[in-house]
Amino acid sequence: MKLICGKRTLDLSRPVVMGILNTTPDSFSDGGSYYAGGALDLDLALRRAEQMLREGAEIIDVGGESTRPGASPVSEQQELDRVLPVVEAISANLDAIVSVDTSTPAVISESAAAGAGMINDVRALERPGALAAAAGTDLPVCLMHMQGQPGSMQRAPHYDDVVAEVGAYLLARMRACEDAGIARERIIFDPGFGFGKNDDHHLALMRNLARFSKLGNGAPADIPLLVGVSRKSMIGRLLDREVHERLPGSLALAMLAAQRGAKILRVHDVAATVDVLKLQQLVDAPAK
Ligand code: 9MG
């Protein structure tokens, strides 16, 4: 399974790591890490991207809007100012696929022009203009499921059958993409851990994750699955752990996700996750 990401090709015959680079002052785990004197420090961000690539990341996911509950809203201009310089700097200086974590049409179009190789949208291109903007780029698009909106999504999430409903939503968004001119071969699915789900929902989704890797049945190749569980609150609640104590839980879930067919793991701790995935492949997909 291969994805064409602008000038680069991503081989998904085995699971790969997407390293998280938040250019926000307020993301839940690494917010503000690349700020010096109140301003975004491009050099710090570039060095962090370089480190994640050295550790084995194949994709760097650059985001300029925090989606944690209670985060401040960000204007289009603020998001452009945070994201574009980082996308340009990584694309110009490092051998990496840059993914842009955005729902904003202008950020989608301008990031693609600046060298991005993938769009990662937690709102599955539902914002007005986002489908057309993504269609105009030729880049792969990750469609994530979220129930509700970031500010309130964790208050009382409800599903009759979370696995069926998330699956139906992703297929409906895939069809909306196809109608807008985004071919199925460009689509990645993500069930959206932490986005409008309680822990029973999270456990049901992880238990049944393999069903999502088969959702694209009938497509020339199955639709790749992206999973983001790194350091999330579900690990905090299930294991009673603070954010800085969630590495073992994050690695365990990364392993479980890879065993159930996830092809892209979105993580903060790149080196440790790369080790886990290498072992998972040695056991589950030994070279012939
Ligand atoms: C931006 N972002 C935060 N969490 C995420 C997740 O689980 N998946 C994707 N695709 N993006 C995420």
Side-chain angles (χ1 to χ4, degrees):
M1 189 189 295
K2 286 195 161 55
L3 270 186
I4 308 300
C5 302
K7 291 188 190 133
R8 294 179 172 82
T9 300
L10 181 63
D11 179 3
L12 293 179
S13 55
R14 58 185 171 76
V16 301
V17 165
M18 168 188 266
I20 300 170
L21 206 164
N22 281 317
T23 65
T24 49
D26 59 347
S27 285
F28 85 101
S29 171
D30 60 345
S33 304
Y34 314 109
Y35 280 74
L40 180 65
D41 185 327
L42 208 49
D43 198 48
L44 277 182
L46 198 55
R47 274 191 274 147
R48 176 66 184 139
E50 202 169 10
Q51 182 193 6
M52 290 196 283
L53 294 170
R54 257 198 322 272
E55 291 177 352
E58 307 218 5
I59 309 164
I60 306 293
D61 192 38
V62 178
E65 180 203 5
S66 173
T67 43
R68 73 174 169 77
S72 331
V74 64
S75 73
E76 176 183 292
Q77 193 56 50
Q78 268 176 319
E79 201 186 337
L80 285 166
D81 291 345
R82 287 176 186 174
V83 166
L84 280 188
V86 180
V87 172
E88 276 164 9
I90 300 177
S91 307
N93 294 290
L94 303 176
D95 184 15
I97 294 171
V98 182
S99 155
V100 179
D101 154 21
T102 187
S103 305
T104 309
V107 179
I108 293 175
S109 309
E110 297 202 28
S111 298
M118 186 181 289
I119 307 300
N120 172 27
D121 186 4
V122 299
R123 296 179 182 82
L125 303 179
E126 285 211 54
R127 274 213 180 135
L131 275 170
T137 68
D138 276 345
L139 299 179
V141 188
C142 178
L143 304 173
M144 198 199 77
H145 174 274
M146 165 162 55
Q147 186 182 82
Q149 291 302 316
S152 54
M153 64 190 175
Q154 289 307 107
R155 267 183 219 147
H158 173 81
Y159 302 84
D160 291 325
D161 179 340
V162 66
V163 177
E165 288 168 50
V166 170
Y169 173 83
L170 292 174
L171 284 174
R173 293 311 295 159
M174 178 187 82
R175 290 191 193 102
C177 282
E178 289 181 310
D179 290 346
I182 300 170
R184 213 177 266 213
E185 292 73 21
R186 286 171 56 193
I187 291 173
I188 301 163
F189 283 153
D190 182 341
F193 287 93
F195 287 83
K197 284 132 194 135
N198 66 29
D199 292 336
D200 288 339
H201 301 141
H202 292 134
L203 293 173
L205 286 170
M206 186 58 79
R207 223 171 267 130
N208 291 283
L209 201 67
R211 281 166 59 182
F212 290 95
S213 15
K214 299 281 164 239
L215 267 184
N217 257 351
D222 287 333
I223 294 192
L225 196 59
L226 187 153
V227 165
V229 284
S230 179
R231 301 186 190 172
K232 283 195 175 166
S233 308
M234 61 181 285
I235 299 171
R237 286 186 300 269
L238 291 167
L239 301 179
D240 192 16
R241 294 284 178 258
E242 297 298 326
V243 175
H244 66 280
E245 301 171 319
R246 294 180 192 166
L247 178 61
S250 302
L251 296 178
L253 291 178
M255 170 76 98
L256 290 168
Q259 287 182 322
R260 287 160 174 75
K263 291 292 187 230
I264 304 176
L265 281 304
R266 183 180 182 276
V267 308
H268 301 88
D269 302 287
V270 172
T273 311
V274 167
D275 277 358
V276 160
L277 295 179
K278 274 187 193 155
L279 288 174
Q280 183 267 332
Q281 285 294 289
L282 287 168
V283 173
D284 290 336
K288 290 184 186 118

